[in-house]
Amino acid sequence: MNEKNDLTKKKLDLYDTLFSQDTIDEILNQAESFLQNPIFLLDTSYRIITRSKYAEAENSSIETYNGENYLIFDTINLMQKSKCIDTIYNTSNSFFHYSEQNLIFCSVKINNITIGYIGVLESIRKLKESDLEYTDILSKVLSIQIQKENLFISNSGLAEEYYLVDLLENKIDNLEYFKKRLQFSKFNLEENLLMLSIPFKQKYNDFRHNFGLQQLINQLKNILGNSIAAYYKDMIIILVSNSNEYVITAEDSLLEFLKLNNLKCGISFVFKNLKFIKDFFYQTIYTLKLSSSMKSSKHIYYFDDYVEYYMFYMASNSNNDLYKISLENLIHPFLRKLIDFDKENKSDLYETLKTYIENNRNANETSHKLNIHRSTFFYRLNKIQNLFDISFDSTNKLLKLELSFKLLTYNQLIN
């Protein structure tokens, strides 16, 4: 049998694995028997989803973290510098990549969205031209099998998605390691962070419309600016980061977008430490749940407006499986800002506001308790309002701050 006929038979055999084999691993091992070289299947965050039998012994460019295997940073840097990653995303065909190690790369696409890619490493047999054609077929077969296994069904096809989901599911618990991996995305980790969740049902039968989901996410990111997004638990979730303390600087545009697409959005407190991202994600979840129970008809819901209702809900619910947000992350971020400002400037604004609220917003009583003149008190109060662009005219705002003062005091007592 000549080489061309042999290749045709091998390709048919590979297609046949869709009916004769049950898993991606079995398909990779079948492909390996022809390519005679290790085969890797990676996702777009450089994590190795699975690999063929020969590939199990190839660990020179791989590091293991929390039970997951990733390409090492040096290898990723080389792939980016040589534009290899760009080629993977921009073409559907296999191609040779020559460096310290010779490889074949090929993207794996679903609905024209790159959800991963194949790497064939020249290790046992020299790579040849016909291997490209065979790897093209392998890519198509894996795409079909992945859809059969629903392996990527919750994903939007965005490269950054895996970073956010891994963080939420504690697959990466070392923040420094996570930050290093983020360097390979377009997301900049700024001082202020915010979580958003937007319910959007994406059933498996509708997966062919995934392009629409990706478009929604891209439009949201254009509005929100520096952010990473994922499709997770039937929701579009977005982590936004900004040096501006308000984080979302185009709120009107966000509201118009949500109205136009008939979507609702839960928004967390502003936070600074990625370590607590899960708490702030669940702030958005409980905000959406509570707003629905209270039959609110808005499009944007802030956890700021539902903190006390969350506490009532948790106190009245006997379900021990409910996720509990830590007390520390229920405290209004405004108080954190006030504390930080006092430390940096050796001022007493936090104590001034706390005493004012504890004394029923009575200026005379507050001045007496702080042992300062009334004019000094009003100077401090105005300074707080001007510095942080906040008004104390709203009784509801002061009640929320009073609750946070009590939470902060209680949290300090129990710790």
Side-chain angles (χ1 to χ4, degrees), residues 157-316:
L158 298 171
E160 70 220 12
E161 182 166 39
Y162 302 102
Y163 297 114
L164 186 51
V165 173
D166 282 356
L167 196 59
L168 283 172
E169 293 184 345
N170 297 321
K171 290 181 180 176
I172 296 179
D173 55 13
N174 182 314
L175 288 185
E176 290 309 310
Y177 183 81
F178 178 74
K179 289 172 186 176
K180 282 183 180 179
R181 299 206 73 84
L182 272 180
Q183 291 172 5
F184 303 109
S185 73
K186 295 178 180 178
F187 177 69
N188 296 316
L189 197 59
E190 303 287 355
E191 181 182 2
N192 302 297
L193 302 162
L194 198 68
M195 281 299 299
L196 289 79
S197 291
I198 300 171
F200 185 82
K201 196 72 172 175
Q202 179 81 357
K203 295 180 180 177
Y204 177 66
N205 291 337
D206 297 325
F207 191 65
R208 63 187 181 278
H209 302 305
N210 188 280
F211 180 72
L213 171 62
Q214 190 186 39
Q215 288 296 97
L216 275 179
I217 291 175
N218 285 336
Q219 289 176 61
L220 280 163
K221 290 184 67 185
N222 285 335
I223 293 169
L224 297 169
N226 181 44
S227 55
I228 51 175
Y231 185 65
Y232 183 67
K233 296 187 175 181
D234 293 331
M235 282 179 297
I236 297 168
I237 61 170
I238 305 175
L239 173 67
V240 189
S241 188
N242 202 326
S243 57
N244 188 312
E245 63 186 35
Y246 295 104
V247 187
I248 298 177
T249 55
E251 189 176 316
D252 290 343
S253 298
L254 175 62
L255 180 58
E256 284 304 309
F257 175 84
L258 294 169
K259 284 180 179 177
L260 182 66
N261 291 282
N262 195 27
L263 297 169
K264 296 180 183 294
C265 176
I267 300 180
S268 73
F269 277 155
V270 175
F271 63 105
K272 297 182 183 293
N273 193 338
L274 272 176
K275 176 183 176 182
F276 302 114
I277 189 172
K278 199 166 185 178
D279 273 5
F280 293 96
F281 165 68
Y282 271 96
Q283 285 185 3
T284 69
I285 301 306
Y286 284 119
T287 298
L288 289 165
K289 180 179 180 64
L290 290 163
S291 63
S292 176
S293 300
M294 296 165 73
K295 299 186 172 18
S296 177
S297 57
K298 296 179 181 179
H299 288 274
I300 296 181
Y301 303 94
Y302 295 92
F303 186 67
D304 192 357
D305 297 322
Y306 289 89
V307 181
E308 60 269 47
Y309 297 111
Y310 161 77
M311 296 175 75
F312 301 155
Y313 175 74
M314 296 303 286
S316 61

Side-chain angles (χ1 to χ4, degrees), residues 355-414:
T355 307
Y356 177 57
I357 289 176
E358 286 174 347
N359 286 275
N360 299 313
R361 299 176 285 285
N362 184 301
N364 288 331
E365 286 293 323
T366 304
S367 302
H368 176 71
K369 283 283 175 69
L370 291 171
N371 196 27
I372 59 174
H373 196 274
R374 267 172 59 93
S375 62
T376 303
F377 162 71
F378 281 116
Y379 168 78
R380 289 183 184 177
L381 194 65
N382 287 328
K383 187 174 182 179
I384 293 170
Q385 294 183 101
N386 293 331
L387 273 172
F388 299 103
D389 193 22
I390 188 171
S391 172
F392 296 137
D393 293 338
S394 166
T395 302
N396 188 42
K397 172 67 75 177
L398 289 169
L399 284 171
K400 288 182 181 299
L401 290 176
E402 183 174 11
L403 175 62
S404 280
F405 274 119
K406 290 182 183 296
L407 280 170
L408 188 54
T409 302
Y410 179 72
N411 197 47
Q412 289 168 344
L413 285 172
I414 63 174

